[in-house]
Amino acid sequence: MMNIKAATKYQLNEYIKSVRIFYLVVILVTLFFGGIVNFGDSSNVNMMGGTEMSTAIFLFVLGLNSFKETFLMMLQNSTTRKTMFVSRLIAVLATGVSMAIIDRFIISFAKLFTYVNENYQVSGMYEMVFQNRAESLHTVIMNLEAILITIGVYIAAIIAGYFITTAYYRMNKILKVAVSVGVPVTLFFLLPIIDMSVYDGKISRAIGKLFAFVFGGESGNPYNLLISCLLFSVVGIGLSWLLIRKAVEKN
Amino acid sequence: MSIEIKNISKNFGSTCALDSVSLTFEENKIYGLLGRNGAGKTTLLNIITNRIFADSGEVLVDGIPSKENDQALKKIYMMGEKNFYPNNMKIKEIFRWTKEFYPSFDTEYANKLTEVFELSLNKNVKSLSTGYNSIFKVIIALSVNTPYVLCDEPVLGLDANHRDLFYRLLIERYSDSPSTFIISTHLIEEVANVIEDVIIIKKGKIIKNESREELMSIGYTVSGMSSLVDEFINGKEVIGIDSIGGLKSAYVIGQIIKESVPQGLEITKMDLQKLFIKLTNA
């Protein structure tokens, strides 16, 4: 893998450009709303708690947009699929870790506003989902655990986007249409009908249980979420590799 | 040191693009890869560079199988007809990244060539005309300094001045630091004076693979007054005739002793394009 350094640098550079814009917006929004709360005379409670969720959505979209152009650029520069895939994973890992740390820093920074104005409340995704556990831990431990869990979520989000875009690249037009129509129709139309009419709601209850387990179950264990995200990522990485190893130029 | 192609076959559905192609591109030579549209030239170049995969057979670069092998692929640069660079990327950024992937890329020389071709480094790919799209890739191909440079339709969209400039720069570069150049083109007349070896591909099969001199020695061109030429070519295998006013040039297959040529007729080399048309038409 002679090109691994150049390929990783290129793919990281690609991510950094988008991440920079994203954080510029996040910081401006944080400062703007922080400013309104501080200097406005509103007595309403203002809550800021979607930073990690918006980052996860951003990373999913980033994953969705990170195949075709890079793939062709790598082919142009005589890089094997193996090298481009490994370098992509390095870039995904680095981006996931960095953004989890940055987000935690932003949340901690935004929390400073709460000392100035009690009407301003800041909470990270971790504190919202695992409230009891977050309150029982020392702040430093809680922040470290939050970063760890967030890394898992972020990596899963990018991998999900990357897998979808890779799968679409490999599909022909008919298959693309079939999947684009078939998946939503099955999930949001057929499945609920079958579930209610044939299985008496067993499927939705099973899905509900699965989600409850992923999000910690009754004990509220955050490591269920971390392990679920890692498993999801491993499966996504495996499937993406199967798709990429035989991918050819379709420019 | 060579690119060795062994029994490569490739089908697209029911269309056979390459049929058990075997050939060798030797070190430090300029090859002309000639063929009609759809003959399989681009498919062959794409397989060599791993952009697509062959159904069977293998490609060896300096003895190493090139399939998914960075070490082998790093020795090759392909300037494709299609653009694989990101549309929003500026030319200077493309040069910077090419240097990352090909450390031997001569940025200084590339920058010099952008001045010669009057190409702005700050332009992005999508803003370039067809001609300049070829030019920036040609500049990279001439500056990349890899052992094997593959050019698929390098002069696509270039005006006569730029085409002439490209051929001169290619010869200049080749003289300064020889590499193997494989030029796939339709403009046979122009490239005829640049290439050393000719590979003609027809319907996925190699029909000629020899030096230009050898290939052109299978015939000759006879020129002169129409009546004299007509009389001379009578009974000979003629593959083409050009007439202007009372003058005529005929392209004849076969050998000739120059001393036996009647006065008023001139014998010159066979025209590669005429020969190509003859070979690929049947």
Side-chain angles (χ1 to χ4, degrees):
Chain A
M1 288 195 278
M2 292 174 83
N3 273 340
I4 191 88
K5 193 180 158 198
T8 308
K9 203 172 164 184
Y10 180 81
Q11 303 201 55
L12 265 175
N13 187 70
E14 220 183 21
Y15 279 168
I16 287 168
K17 276 193 275 184
S18 309
V19 168
R20 230 185 261 153
I21 296 166
F22 172 76
Y23 276 123
L24 187 68
V25 174
V26 168
I27 289 167
L28 286 176
V29 167
T30 308
L31 290 175
F32 179 70
F33 283 107
I36 286 174
V37 173
N38 275 329
F39 303 112
D41 55 358
S42 168
S43 57
N44 293 333
V45 174
N46 290 275
M47 178 101 180
M48 180 192 151
T51 311
E52 289 130 316
M53 204 54 219
S54 53
T55 306
I57 294 166
F58 162 78
L59 287 173
F60 174 71
V61 175
L62 193 68
L64 277 179
N65 286 299
S66 53
F67 182 68
K68 190 180 174 186
E69 202 175 80
T70 313
F71 177 66
L72 294 178
M73 179 67 172
M74 294 290 127
L75 285 185
Q76 177 60 64
N77 287 290
S78 301
T79 305
T80 57
R81 285 148 187 83
K82 193 174 163 189
T83 301
M84 63 177 92
F85 188 67
V86 172
S87 57
R88 171 63 70 192
L89 294 184
I90 296 170
V92 166
L93 184 67
T95 308
V97 171
S98 311
M99 291 187 81
I101 294 169
I102 293 169
D103 280 355
R104 194 47 31 192
F105 178 77
I106 290 173
I107 290 162
S108 303
F109 175 74
K111 277 181 179 173
L112 293 176
F113 290 114
T114 60
Y115 296 115
V116 182
N117 189 332
E118 283 179 356
N119 288 336
Y120 188 53
Q121 289 181 8
V122 175
S123 181
M125 185 180 68
Y126 172 84
E127 294 95 314
M128 287 164 83
V129 178
F130 307 105
Q131 196 177 357
N132 293 338
R133 187 176 169 89
E135 283 168 1
S136 69
L137 294 174
H138 184 273
T139 315
V140 177
I141 305 290
M142 187 272 289
N143 279 323
L144 287 175
E145 193 172 89
I147 289 171
L148 193 65
I149 306 301
T150 316
I151 288 171
V153 174
Y154 287 177
I155 288 173
I158 314 180
I159 294 295
Y162 189 62
F163 168 68
I164 292 170
T165 195
T166 314
Y168 267 83
Y169 182 81
R170 290 296 310 274
M171 288 175 200
N172 58 30
K173 275 183 186 169
I174 298 167
L175 204 55
K176 272 181 197 168
V177 174
V179 170
S180 304
V181 176
V183 171
V185 166
T186 307
L187 284 180
F188 304 114
F189 186 69
L190 290 178
L191 195 65
I193 291 173
I194 294 168
D195 184 31
M196 294 314 290
S197 57
V198 182
Y199 295 103
D200 199 24
K202 280 181 187 166
I203 296 175
S204 48
R205 280 198 295 277
I207 293 170
K209 275 183 188 171
L210 178 71
F211 272 97
F213 173 77
V214 166
F215 287 99
E218 285 176 10
S219 62
N221 183 1
Y223 291 96
N224 283 9
L225 178 59
L226 180 65
I227 291 165
S228 303
C229 286
L230 291 180
L231 279 175
F232 178 84
S233 301
V234 168
V235 172
I237 288 167
L239 292 174
S240 300
W241 169 242
L242 290 177
L243 292 164
I244 287 168
R245 61 196 282 266
K246 295 282 179 194
V248 294
E249 68 102 350
K250 292 202 296 185
N251 194 12
Chain B
M1 301 285 274
S2 63
I3 295 179
E4 209 178 328
I5 291 152
K6 288 181 171 176
N7 293 314
I8 289 286
S9 291
K10 177 73 184 173
N11 293 290
F12 294 106
S14 58
T15 309
C16 177
L18 293 174
D19 185 7
S20 288
V21 168
S22 293
L23 65 113
T24 302
F25 294 106
E26 287 167 9
E27 190 184 16
N28 301 339
K29 272 190 171 183
I30 302 180
Y31 287 89
L33 181 61
L34 313 177
R36 298 184 65 183
N37 289 331
K41 306 185 293 292
T42 303
T43 304
L44 180 62
L45 297 182
N46 280 340
I47 288 172
I48 294 172
T49 50
N50 254 223
R51 292 179 178 199
I52 59 173
F53 297 114
D55 296 338
S56 60
E58 68 172 343
V59 176
L60 303 175
V61 178
D62 296 344
I64 307 164
S66 75
K67 192 177 177 183
E68 285 295 273
N69 187 325
D70 279 321
Q71 202 190 342
L73 291 173
K74 217 173 162 58
K75 296 178 179 178
I76 306 171
Y77 176 82
M78 176 163 160
M79 179 228 155
E81 190 185 337
K82 291 178 189 169
N83 176 46
F84 277 32
Y85 291 100
N87 278 329
N88 288 318
M89 199 175 262
K90 287 180 179 172
I91 304 301
K92 64 179 176 190
E93 288 175 88
I94 290 177
F95 286 179
R96 182 167 70 84
W97 284 112
T98 306
K99 179 81 180 166
E100 291 280 347
F101 286 97
Y102 293 98
S104 306
F105 177 74
D106 189 342
T107 312
E108 204 180 316
Y109 182 67
N111 287 339
K112 198 179 116 191
L113 292 188
T114 57
E115 285 172 23
V116 175
F117 279 103
E118 295 171 333
L119 169 67
S120 166
L121 283 167
N122 286 316
K123 283 205 165 186
N124 57 26
V125 176
K126 71 175 174 194
S127 70
L128 298 175
S129 64
T130 311
Y132 273 99
N133 229 299
S134 296
I135 286 172
F136 93 82
K137 289 184 278 185
V138 154
I139 291 173
I140 298 173
L142 291 171
S143 314
V144 75
N145 289 319
T146 50
Y148 306 99
V149 180
L150 283 50
C151 300
D152 191 12
E153 297 294 351
V155 292
L156 184 78
L158 263 64
D159 61 32
N161 307 47
H162 281 152
R163 291 206 299 273
D164 181 60
L165 183 58
F166 165 65
Y167 295 126
R168 279 194 285 121
L169 288 167
L170 175 65
I171 297 291
E172 198 181 289
R173 195 65 180 163
Y174 179 70
S175 312
D176 290 347
S177 60
S179 323
T180 300
F181 283 91
I182 303 166
I183 300 169
S184 161
T185 183
H186 290 102
L187 299 175
I188 295 158
E189 233 167 337
E190 287 183 5
V191 86
N193 295 323
V194 177
I195 56 182
E196 292 172 83
D197 278 34
V198 180
I199 291 159
I200 300 179
I201 186 165
K202 182 184 172 186
K203 292 178 182 169
K205 287 189 173 184
I206 305 295
I207 57 166
K208 284 284 170 195
N209 179 9
E210 47 198 82
S211 75
R212 185 190 59 181
E213 292 305 319
E214 263 173 19
L215 187 65
M216 307 240 296
S217 68
I218 70 166
Y220 56 91
T221 306
V222 56
S223 312
M225 296 289 288
S226 289
S227 53
L228 282 173
V229 171
D230 286 339
E231 195 180 325
F232 180 79
I233 63 175
N234 190 22
K236 293 186 170 67
E237 190 186 350
V238 179
I239 60 169
I241 290 175
D242 289 331
S243 301
I244 305 169
L247 296 173
K248 191 177 264 185
S249 290
Y251 307 96
V252 185
I253 299 285
Q255 302 302 318
I256 190 165
I257 302 157
K258 281 193 177 179
E259 289 72 34
S260 67
V261 176
Q263 260 197 335
L265 290 180
E266 192 190 356
I267 301 294
T268 51
K269 278 183 182 176
M270 170 57 93
D271 182 279
L272 184 60
Q273 181 153 296
K274 289 282 186 287
L275 188 60
F276 171 81
I277 292 168
K278 163 76 179 169
L279 291 168
T280 56
N281 247 349

